[in-house]
C-alpha cells in the first residue's frame, strides 16, 4: 500500500477523493492522515480543483520548504556538499578538493563546516542529512567497513559524528548507491522498478534497484561489481588484495597505469601531447580519445568490452529494464557506450534484453549529491519518519 | 505497511488489539477489515485469549481450508503435482515421469488430469494455481520465452490453458524461482530479507530474494546464472548457443558428458562399476563419490569450485545473508558444500561475508512444489487478491 504522503509527493493524487481512490484506504482514514500531516506542517491546501459535481475539492501539496536536508558526497579527492528542500531540490551546492587520506575527523569537520556555511542563511531548520562515502558502508550502523581507499576510516562512526553536531537523523551510504538513488528519484531511471546504475571512474561500482527501491543487501554491501574476478590469471593486483578484479583491469586507475606502455606507441600522438602538458590522468586519456587518438580510443574501448562482459552477467542475473552508466570513464565517449551495449547483447539471454535500455547518466557528477538529498528526504517522509516526527512534536507539546 | 491478513497469517498478531498495534491502522479500520475478511470466510474467531484488563479478546485465525490451490512443478523429465490449503500446506502430492519434448498441449493435459484426480475428493473449491516450468517465463503473461530445453513451448499460453479449464487465477514462473519461494516461505530461508537459492542439477539456475520478496526483474528473467560466462575460451557448447557458460562446464549434463574421459582413469573403480549397472547419470556419479571414488569426487568438487567462483560474484553483487543450495549435484556431498564455501570466501568482500550462511536446501525435491503452492496462496491473499475476491462475492450477491 502506498502512503498518503507518497501519493501527494509524487503528484499521483492531489485531492482527498483521489487519495481515497488511489490509497484504497477508507475515507475517514484519509481525512485523519491528511489532518495529521497538516498538523506537522508537511502539507497544505493549494488551489481549488474543478468540481466533479459537489463541492470543488482543494488540491493538497507538500510544504517543500518546511525543513531542509543536508547532502554530502565524498570521492577520493573531491567533496560535494549541498542543501536541499523536502522535494529533494538542491537550493545551494559547492564542491572542493579533499583528501580522504586525511582521515575521518579532519575530513568530516570540513564537510560540517562547509554545510553549515551553505545552510547558515536559510530559514528552516535541518531535519536530516544524507552522506555518501567512496567505500563499503554498513547501512544499519552508518559506518565504513574495511574501505580500501579510506585509510583510518574503518568502523568510524560517521553517523554519530553528524547526529551529535546537527541533532537530526543521518543516513550514510556508499557513494555509488547515492548516485543510483539520484537517477532513480530525479534522473533518467524514474519509474523503472528494475534498474542498475554503474559507475566506471577511477574505481568501478554499481547500485541496484529492485521493485523501485535500492537493493542494499544484508549489510549494505550490495552492488560491488568492481571486485568481480574477470581475469583470474592476470598479474594486475587490485587495491582489495586480489588479482584480476574488474576494477584492476578496466577502471580509470588501471588506464592511467597503462599509459606508460601506451605512450611508447608512435600512433599515440595526441595522447602524448596532452599527457605532456596535463599529466597522466583519466581526463587526459578521455580528451585525447575525443580528439581521435587511436591509442586512447583503444584503451577506453578495451575497458568497455571488459565492463560490458560483466554487465551481461548482471543482466542475466537481475533483468533490469535500464542500465545507467556514470563515471568519467563510463561517460567518456559514444563509442564507450556502443561497445558496452554490444558486449551486453552478445552474452545476455533474449528475454532479459528484450526491452533493455543502456544510457549515459544525465545527472552526471551531480547524481550522488542529488541521491544523498533524496535518501534523507525519503527516509524522513517515510511512514517510520512521520511517526518519528509526530513523537517529537508530542514531546515538544508536552514539554 | 503490512496488511491485517498478513499479520494474522504469519502469526504476528492474533487479536484486534495486537492488529491495531502492529498494523499502525486506526481501530475502526482494523475492525472494518476484520469484518470484511470474515465476510469472505477467510478468517474466523478462535480461542479466547487472556484478558489484559477489559473483555478478553478472541484470537483470529486464517480459515485455511476455505479454499484449495493447485501446485505443479515441471522438470525436463519429472512432473510433481500437489493440492494445498490456504496455509500452503500440501494435502496431497504425486510425482511421475514426463517428457517436456512432448510439447505443451500433451504435457499440460497430463498436469491437468493428475491435478483434478488429486483434488477430486476434496471439498472446497480451487481458488488458484501456481506452476513452475524449467525455462525462462515472462511473469506478466505467464508464457515461456525462448526456453532452451522445451521445444514447442515458446510463447505458449500456459496461464490461459489452466484459467480456461479451472476458472481461477493462475501464476506461472520459472522452476528455480518456485524453489526459492518454497525455501523462503516454508524452508530454511524464512525470515531472510536477502537470500539466494541456487539449483545445481542438470542445469544451473538461481532465485533471488530482495527485501523479503522474489526479485523477478523487468520481464521475470532474473536469476539466470547458468549462462554466465566462466570460461570464454572453452570449447564446451552450451544449450543456449554460447560457449563456456557456467552450466556448460559445471552442471550435471556436463558431468555426465565428462564421464567418457573420467572412466578411462584406472582409479575410477567404483564409478566404473556403478555406471556399468546403472548407466551414465548424475546419480551414478553422486553414488560413486559417496562410496569414496576419487574420480567421481574430483568431478563434483571441480564443479563446486567453478560454481563457487560465480557465487562469490553474486555475494559481492547482492550481499545475501543466506545462500541455499539445491539440485542433485548441489546436494550431493558435504565436500561439495565445503568447496563452494571456500570458493565464495576466497573472492568475496569482507562486509558481504561477515554473517553469510551457505546451507543445503532442507526441502530438497519438494521445494519447487511448495513454492508453487505459496506463490498462488500469497497472490490470492495479497491486497489485490482480496480486492478480487470481494468483487467476485459482490457479483455473486448481485446475480
Amino acid at each position: 500500500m502506498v502512503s498518503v504522503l507518497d501519493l501527494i509527493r509524487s503528484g499521483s493524487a492531489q485531492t482527498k477523493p483521489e487519495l481515497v481512490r488511489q490509497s484504497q484506504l477508507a475515507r475517514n482514514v484519509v481525512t485523519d492522515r491528511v489532518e495529521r500531516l497538516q498538523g506537522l506542517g508537511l502539507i497544505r491546501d493549494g488551489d481549488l480543483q474543478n468540481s466533479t459535481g459537489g463541492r470543488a475539492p482543494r488540491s493538497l501539496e507538500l510544504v517543500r520548504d518546511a525543513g531542509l536536508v543536508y547532502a554530502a558526497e565524498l570521492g577520493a579527492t573531491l567533496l560535494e556538499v549541498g542543501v536541499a528542500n523536502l522535494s529533494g531540490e538542491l537550493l545551494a551546492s559547492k564542491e572542493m578538493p579533499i583528501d580522504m587520506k586525511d582521515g575521518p575527523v579532519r575530513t568530516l569537520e570540513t564537510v560540517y563546516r562547509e554545510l553549515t556555511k551553505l545552510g547558515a542563511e536559510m530559514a528552516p531548520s535541518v531535519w536530516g542529512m544524507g552522506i555518501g562515502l567512496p567505500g563499503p558502508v554498513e547501512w544499519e550502523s552508518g559506518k565504513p567497513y574495511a574501505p580500501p581507499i579510506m585509510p583510518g576510516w574503518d568502523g568510524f562512526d560517521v553517523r554519530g559524528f553528524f547526529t551529535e553536531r546537527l541533532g537530526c537523523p543521518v543516513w550514510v551510504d556508499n557513494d555509488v548507491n547515492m548516485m543510483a538513488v539520484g537517477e532513480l528519484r530525479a534522473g533518467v531511471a524514474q519509474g523503472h522498478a528494475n534498474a542498475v546504475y554503474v559507475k566506471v571512474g577511477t574505481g568501478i561500482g554499481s547500485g541496484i534497484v529492485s521493485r523501485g527501491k535500492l537493493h542494499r543487501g544484508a549489510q549494505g554491501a550490495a552492488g560491488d561489481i568492481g571486485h568481480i574476478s574477470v581475469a583470474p590469471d592476470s598479474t594486475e593486483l587490485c587495491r582489495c588484495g586480489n588479482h584480476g578484479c574488474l576494477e584492476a583491469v578496466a577502471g580509470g586507475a588501471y588506464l592511467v597505469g597503462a599509459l606508460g606502455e601506451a605512450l611508447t606507441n608512435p600512433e599515440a600522438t595526441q595522447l602524448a601531447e596532452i599527457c605532456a602538458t596535463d599529466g597522466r590522468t583519466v581526463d587526459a586519456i578521455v580528451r585525447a580519445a575525443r580528439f581521435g587518438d587511436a591509442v586512447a580510443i583503444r584503451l577506453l574501448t578495451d575497458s568497455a568490452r571488459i565492463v560490458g562482459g560483466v554487465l551481461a552477467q548482471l543482466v542475466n542475473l537481475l533483468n533490469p529494464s535500464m542500465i545507467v552508466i556514470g563515471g568519467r570513464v563510463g561517460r567518456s565517449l559514444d563509442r564507450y557506450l556502443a561497445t558496452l551495449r554490444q558486449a551486453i547483447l552478445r552474452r545476455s539471454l533474449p528475454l532479459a534484453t528484450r526491452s533493455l535500455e543502456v544510457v549515459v547518466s544525465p545527472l552526471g557528477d551531480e547524481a550522488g549529491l542529488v541521491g544523498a538529498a533524496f535518501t534523507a528526504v525519503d527516509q524522513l517522509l517515510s511512514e517510520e519518519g512521520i511517526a518519528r516526527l509526530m513523537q517529537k512534536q508530542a514531546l515538544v507539546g508536552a514539554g
Side-chain angles (χ1 to χ4, degrees), chain A:
Chain A
M1 200 186 308
V2 189
S3 83
V4 165
L5 184 55
D6 283 345
L7 289 169
I8 296 172
R9 289 173 67 202
S10 65
S12 312
Q14 292 195 300
T15 64
K16 272 195 223 170
E18 286 171 6
L19 286 169
V20 169
R21 209 165 34 244
Q22 294 202 30
S23 68
Q24 299 185 299
L25 291 168
R27 206 182 169 73
N28 57 343
V29 184
V30 169
T31 300
D32 181 56
R33 297 212 178 163
V34 165
E35 278 166 12
R36 287 191 209 183
L37 292 169
Q38 284 172 327
L40 288 168
L42 276 175
I43 59 173
R44 69 178 154 219
D45 287 338
D47 303 329
L48 273 180
Q49 299 291 298
N50 288 333
S51 164
T52 54
R55 204 165 44 149
R58 272 199 183 277
S59 70
L60 293 163
E61 57 181 35
L62 176 72
V63 182
R64 69 180 86 181
D65 49 5
L68 296 175
V69 298
Y70 279 172
E73 176 87 341
L74 281 68
T77 57
L78 188 76
L79 166 66
E80 295 167 272
V81 291
V83 180
N85 63 21
L86 296 183
S87 290
E89 292 159 349
L90 290 173
L91 306 172
S93 67
K94 192 179 168 185
E95 62 173 62
M96 74 214 63
I98 49 165
D99 189 345
M100 290 300 279
K101 295 200 190 75
D102 287 343
V105 176
R106 248 181 91 183
T107 308
L108 296 181
E109 267 168 4
T110 305
V111 175
Y112 176 69
R113 192 178 58 241
E114 294 298 331
L115 277 169
T116 44
K117 262 199 261 174
L118 268 190
E121 307 196 348
M122 298 185 190
S125 62
V126 180
W127 285 19
M129 174 174 176
I131 172 169
L133 300 177
V137 173
E138 189 184 50
W139 172 249
E140 283 299 321
S141 67
K143 293 176 183 171
Y145 193 94
I149 60 162
M150 298 163 62
W153 288 74
D154 190 13
F156 187 83
D157 187 5
V158 176
R159 172 181 294 155
F161 182 94
F162 287 105
T163 47
E164 202 177 279
R165 283 161 180 78
L166 296 171
C168 66
V170 175
W171 291 275
V172 192
D173 206 343
N174 170 265
D175 57 346
V176 186
N177 275 351
M178 290 298 191
M179 295 171 196
V181 171
E183 292 293 349
L184 177 68
R185 299 290 281 113
V188 74
Q190 284 177 79
H192 282 262
N194 297 279
V196 181
Y197 179 94
V198 180
K199 182 196 169 199
V200 190
T202 307
I204 300 178
S206 79
I208 297 164
V209 175
S210 168
R211 293 179 185 265
K213 292 192 170 175
L214 199 66
H215 170 90
R216 289 199 175 84
Q219 276 82 29
D224 208 324
I225 58 167
H227 304 284
I228 282 180
S229 171
V230 292
D233 307 326
S234 163
T235 54
E236 294 293 340
L237 183 66
C238 184
R239 59 186 184 185
C240 77
N242 274 321
H243 286 269
C245 293
L246 173 62
E247 189 170 297
V249 300
Y254 164 76
L255 297 179
V256 170
L259 275 175
E261 200 193 315
L263 288 169
T264 63
N265 189 325
E267 283 180 62
T269 46
Q270 290 106 323
L271 186 61
E273 212 170 286
I274 292 172
C275 284
T277 54
D278 296 9
R280 296 182 176 185
T281 62
V282 170
D283 283 338
I285 300 171
V286 173
R287 207 128 49 79
R290 285 182 183 157
F291 277 119
D293 185 283
V295 175
I297 290 173
R298 208 172 313 131
L299 276 173
L300 289 169
T301 50
D302 282 351
S303 155
R305 231 184 316 277
I306 299 172
V307 175
V310 169
L311 295 192
Q313 305 179 10
L314 202 138
V315 165
N316 283 346
L317 203 60
L318 298 174
N319 184 202
S321 53
M322 176 175 277
I323 297 181
V324 186
I325 307 291
R328 272 180 302 171
V329 176
R331 288 159 55 215
S332 59
L333 298 178
D334 288 345
R335 270 186 61 182
Y336 195 94
L337 193 70
T339 309
L340 267 184
R341 276 209 193 98
Q342 273 172 17
I344 292 170
L345 288 179
R346 198 164 46 237
R347 289 298 312 206
S348 302
L349 293 174
L351 179 55
T353 53
R354 207 176 54 184
S355 57
L356 174 68
E357 294 177 70
V358 184
V359 299
V360 159
S361 164
L363 289 177
D365 290 335
E366 220 176 37
L369 196 60
V370 171
F374 268 102
T375 296
V377 168
D378 288 344
Q379 295 285 340
L380 284 169
L381 303 185
S382 68
E383 304 218 356
E384 293 79 11
I386 298 298
R388 200 188 301 118
L389 285 174
M390 286 182 58
Q391 239 172 7
K392 204 169 152 186
Q393 199 187 43
L395 285 176
V396 172

